[in-house]
Amino acid sequence: MNMFDRKSWLLGAVAIAVCAGGYFGWQTLKAPALPAGIASGNGRVEATEVDIAALASGRIAAIAVKEGDFVHKGDLLVQMDVVQLNAAKRQAEAELRRAGIGVETANALQAQAEAQLRAAQ
């Protein structure tokens, strides 16, 4: 066997060993299988950004989701602290009752004045 044949065999064996090692490394290091419904890919993702605003200002008592969580229409995202809102509601209800009492008093005074008018006539 000449020197050229020996080098060829040696280079071929090294090439096969490198390919086998690369394939083995690729198989053992590749990512685990993804769950159904999840796709994997490489590239750029563009999404629509959605701004969320509350109908009324206030403090936040609890946040129900984390950044990156999937949400659906109607999901609870945050819980507002309603202590001050409830206090304002109770105050408005008390003022409504006070106004109702004022109307009743005015009606009673009107009836009294009409009775006095009839008595004076």
Side-chain angles (χ1 to χ4, degrees):
M1 199 188 261
N2 69 23
M3 184 84 155
F4 184 70
D5 288 335
R6 189 178 288 175
K7 284 184 181 181
S8 297
W9 278 101
L10 184 61
L11 285 176
V14 168
I16 290 173
V18 168
C19 289
Y23 179 76
F24 177 75
W26 176 65
Q27 287 295 326
T28 57
L29 297 178
K30 84 176 169 179
L34 295 173
I38 303 294
S40 175
N42 186 2
R44 179 179 174 154
V45 176
E46 293 187 24
T48 303
E49 186 172 322
V50 178
D51 293 324
I52 299 173
L55 298 176
S57 63
R59 293 179 179 250
I60 294 175
I63 300 175
V65 295
K66 294 185 280 284
E67 184 176 345
D69 286 353
F70 288 104
V71 295
H72 300 88
K73 183 178 180 180
D75 285 354
L76 177 68
L77 303 178
V78 296
Q79 179 67 43
M80 288 185 64
D81 184 6
V82 293
V83 172
Q84 291 179 345
L85 293 174
N86 286 337
K89 179 184 174 197
R90 286 191 302 272
Q91 181 179 358
E93 289 169 345
E95 290 175 6
L96 178 63
R97 286 190 300 273
R98 188 178 319 132
I101 292 170
V103 168
E104 291 173 5
T105 303
N107 289 337
L109 290 174
Q110 180 185 3
Q112 182 183 4
E114 289 173 354
Q116 288 175 349
L117 177 63
R118 283 190 303 271
Q121 290 173 345

Coordinates of all heavy atoms in Angstrom, one line a residue, residues 1-13:
M1 N 0.9 -1.2 0.0 CA 0.0 0.0 0.0 C 0.9 1.2 0.0 O 1.8 1.3 0.8 CB -0.8 -0.1 1.3 CG -2.0 0.8 1.2 SD -2.9 0.9 2.7 CE -4.2 -0.2 2.6
N2 N 0.6 2.2 -0.9 CA 1.4 3.3 -0.9 C 1.0 4.4 0.1 O -0.1 4.3 0.7 CB 1.5 3.9 -2.3 CG 0.3 4.5 -2.8 OD1 -0.6 4.9 -2.1 ND2 0.1 4.5 -4.1
M3 N 1.7 5.4 0.2 CA 1.5 6.5 1.2 C 0.2 7.3 0.9 O -0.5 7.7 1.8 CB 2.7 7.4 1.2 CG 2.6 8.5 2.2 SD 3.2 7.8 3.7 CE 3.7 9.2 4.5
F4 N -0.1 7.4 -0.4 CA -1.3 8.2 -0.8 C -2.6 7.5 -0.4 O -3.5 8.1 0.1 CB -1.2 8.4 -2.4 CG -2.4 9.2 -2.9 CD1 -2.4 10.6 -2.6 CD2 -3.4 8.6 -3.6 CE1 -3.5 11.3 -3.0 CE2 -4.4 9.4 -4.1 CZ -4.5 10.7 -3.8
D5 N -2.6 6.2 -0.5 CA -3.8 5.4 -0.1 C -4.0 5.5 1.4 O -5.1 5.6 1.9 CB -3.6 3.9 -0.6 CG -3.8 3.8 -2.1 OD1 -4.4 4.7 -2.7 OD2 -3.3 2.8 -2.6
R6 N -2.9 5.4 2.1 CA -3.0 5.5 3.6 C -3.6 6.8 4.0 O -4.4 6.9 4.9 CB -1.6 5.2 4.2 CG -1.7 5.0 5.7 CD -0.4 4.8 6.3 NE 0.0 3.4 6.0 CZ 1.2 2.9 6.3 NH1 2.1 3.6 6.9 NH2 1.5 1.7 6.0
K7 N -3.1 7.9 3.4 CA -3.6 9.3 3.8 C -5.1 9.4 3.4 O -5.8 10.0 4.1 CB -2.8 10.3 3.1 CG -1.4 10.6 3.7 CD -0.8 11.7 3.0 CE 0.6 12.0 3.6 NZ 1.3 13.1 2.9
S8 N -5.4 8.9 2.3 CA -6.8 8.9 1.9 C -7.7 8.2 2.8 O -8.8 8.7 3.2 CB -7.0 8.3 0.5 OG -6.3 9.1 -0.5
W9 N -7.3 7.0 3.2 CA -8.1 6.3 4.2 C -8.2 7.0 5.5 O -9.3 7.1 6.2 CB -7.6 4.9 4.4 CG -8.0 3.9 3.4 CD1 -7.2 3.5 2.3 CD2 -9.2 3.3 3.3 NE1 -8.0 2.6 1.6 CE2 -9.2 2.5 2.2 CE3 -10.4 3.3 4.1 CZ2 -10.3 1.7 1.8 CZ3 -11.4 2.5 3.7 CH2 -11.4 1.7 2.6
L10 N -7.1 7.6 6.0 CA -7.0 8.3 7.2 C -7.9 9.6 7.2 O -8.7 9.8 8.1 CB -5.6 8.7 7.6 CG -5.4 9.4 8.9 CD1 -5.9 8.5 10.1 CD2 -3.9 9.8 9.1
L11 N -7.9 10.3 6.1 CA -8.7 11.5 5.9 C -10.2 11.1 5.8 O -11.1 11.8 6.4 CB -8.3 12.3 4.7 CG -7.0 13.1 4.8 CD1 -6.7 13.7 3.5 CD2 -7.1 14.1 5.9
G12 N -10.5 10.0 5.2 CA -11.9 9.5 5.1 C -12.4 9.1 6.4 O -13.5 9.4 6.8
A13 N -11.6 8.4 7.2 CA -12.0 8.0 8.5 C -12.2 9.2 9.5 O -13.2 9.3 10.2 CB -10.9 7.1 9.1

